[in-house]
Amino acid sequence: MPNISVRKSLSIMKMEYVKWVCDARMIMMVITFIFIQTCAVTPLLERSTKMHSPINIWEPFIAVGNSGVLILILPLVYICLMSDFPSMDGNTLFVMHRVGRFNWFVGQILFAIASFLSYLLAIVAFSVLPVITKGFLANGWSLVVTDFDHQFPDEAGGFASQLLPMNLYNQMPPYKAAIYTYLLLAGYMMLLVLLMLLFQVCKKKLVGFFVTGSIIAVGTALCAIKTSFMWLTPMAHSIVWLHFTEYFRSNVVEIWKSALYFGIGIVLLIVLCFLVLRKMNFESVGEGGEGN
């Protein structure tokens, strides 16, 4: 039975989180902010101005999490921010000896959770704050979302219309859509980061980065062409509107099945990581190879 120490695990999490937040790669968050403004916030605000009607302040975030463009950008930026996860250098050997490999492992899992929750909270802030003085807070969709295409048929079906399709606003209120969007994206990010962790403890860091990027790319392509095979990828399960039809209250895939998909995948990857870690040779940590 592993020697469990909550204090040591939290210490590892804190150390890794501080290093992550202070890393120069955080400049990539500026790129994320620009994409969010360009692809979600600005199109909705332009429609709001044209209709002289406010938007719901949660609509930009829901649009971000359900955009075909941004759902590719967000996970790619995240795995780039986490590309060194977990750090496996010469100092790692000393840390593992000091806290124990199990506490080190739990600390890494806690750090992974803290990282994607923080990342998604930043996405929420980037989406909501620019419209907080120009929108309303209520559990109802704005006329900008529901009626724009009817009032301006010449612009119907454009890029902005695809941000919040009928599969969303005909099926659920915005609060529910925002919660589903956040939770499913969290499951997606957790799955990706655990996959990177598995390849890192197997000393195949570069392979892991390639595999993770390929999963994102393949999922994006399959979702774009709307094939049933897209449900084999985590990408499809992270997009709320794909779960529903446009008009009828019938599910294409139930939300609970996506939650189960992520839950099983997360548990399986954690178990695999732990089994590999138990057999890992301490003395090989930080020595050559792709794990460096």
Side-chain angles (χ1 to χ4, degrees), residues 233-249:
T233 70
M235 174 75 78
H237 290 279
S238 71
I239 302 175
V240 178
W241 69 266
L242 285 178
H243 291 75
F244 302 95
T245 59
E246 291 184 348
Y247 298 103
F248 301 104
R249 288 193 176 275

Side-chain angles (χ1 to χ4, degrees), residues 1-291:
M1 184 69 182
N3 183 21
I4 302 173
S5 171
V6 175
R7 181 183 61 82
K8 290 179 179 179
S9 297
L10 289 176
S11 177
I12 292 295
M13 181 200 73
K14 180 180 178 181
M15 178 183 68
E16 296 291 349
Y17 188 80
V18 170
K19 284 167 53 180
W20 181 66
V21 170
C22 297
D23 195 283
R25 278 169 298 190
M26 279 295 162
I27 193 67
M28 295 183 69
M29 292 300 293
V30 176
I31 300 173
T32 306
F33 175 75
I34 293 172
F35 270 106
I36 289 173
Q37 293 299 301
T38 304
C39 298
V41 175
T42 299
L44 289 175
L45 287 179
E46 287 176 348
R47 288 191 163 202
S48 175
T49 301
K50 193 166 186 176
M51 287 189 69
H52 304 287
S53 179
I55 62 174
N56 188 308
I57 65 170
W58 292 110
E59 287 172 350
F61 169 65
I62 300 169
V64 167
N66 289 273
S67 164
V69 175
L70 290 171
I71 202 62
L72 170 63
I73 300 299
L74 297 185
L76 285 176
V77 171
Y78 179 66
I79 66 168
C80 287
L81 292 175
M82 297 292 289
S83 59
D84 280 344
F85 172 77
S87 178
M88 301 281 281
D89 52 28
N91 188 52
T92 305
L93 176 60
F94 170 76
V95 173
M96 280 190 176
H97 274 299
R98 186 172 181 179
V99 304
R101 69 176 73 190
F102 181 75
N103 291 317
W104 177 87
F105 176 68
V106 173
Q108 297 299 328
I109 298 296
L110 293 175
F111 162 59
I113 294 171
S115 71
F116 69 72
L117 290 180
S118 299
Y119 179 68
L120 291 177
L121 284 175
I123 301 305
V124 173
F126 290 163
S127 308
V128 170
L129 292 180
V131 303
I132 203 165
T133 61
K134 305 171 185 177
F136 63 90
L137 184 62
N139 197 21
W141 297 99
S142 68
L143 294 177
V144 176
V145 170
T146 60
D147 287 358
F148 185 88
D149 286 355
H150 296 100
Q151 292 193 29
F152 301 94
D154 291 342
E155 299 182 37
F159 174 76
S161 300
Q162 298 171 20
L163 290 173
L164 295 167
M166 289 185 287
N167 310 59
L168 272 176
Y169 64 78
N170 279 345
Q171 303 295 348
M172 67 186 72
Y175 285 1
K176 190 175 182 179
I179 292 171
Y180 279 163
T181 297
Y182 189 92
L183 292 179
L184 292 178
L185 281 175
Y188 187 21
M189 300 295 176
M190 183 68 172
L191 208 64
L192 293 176
V193 77
L194 285 176
L195 190 62
M196 294 175 66
L197 173 61
L198 176 61
F199 278 95
Q200 177 69 304
V201 295
C202 290
K203 303 177 190 175
K204 299 292 182 183
K205 174 182 173 181
L206 295 180
V207 175
F209 195 78
F210 173 78
V211 170
T212 306
S214 297
I215 288 174
I216 295 171
V218 170
T220 303
L222 293 177
C223 289
I225 60 178
K226 303 296 188 298
T227 172
S228 59
F229 290 108
M230 67 185 180
W231 296 107
L232 297 175
T233 70
M235 174 75 78
H237 290 279
S238 71
I239 302 175
V240 178
W241 69 266
L242 285 178
H243 291 75
F244 302 95
T245 59
E246 291 184 348
Y247 298 103
F248 301 104
R249 288 193 176 275
S250 59
N251 296 315
V252 177
V253 170
E254 290 84 353
I255 292 287
W256 70 265
K257 290 184 179 179
S258 291
L260 185 63
Y261 174 95
F262 286 125
I264 292 174
I266 288 168
V267 170
L268 181 61
L269 286 172
I270 289 176
V271 171
L272 288 174
C273 287
F274 181 64
L275 292 177
V276 172
L277 189 68
R278 287 183 63 183
K279 298 179 180 180
M280 188 174 70
N281 180 10
F282 268 63
E283 282 69 29
S284 66
V285 176
E287 293 179 4
E290 289 181 303

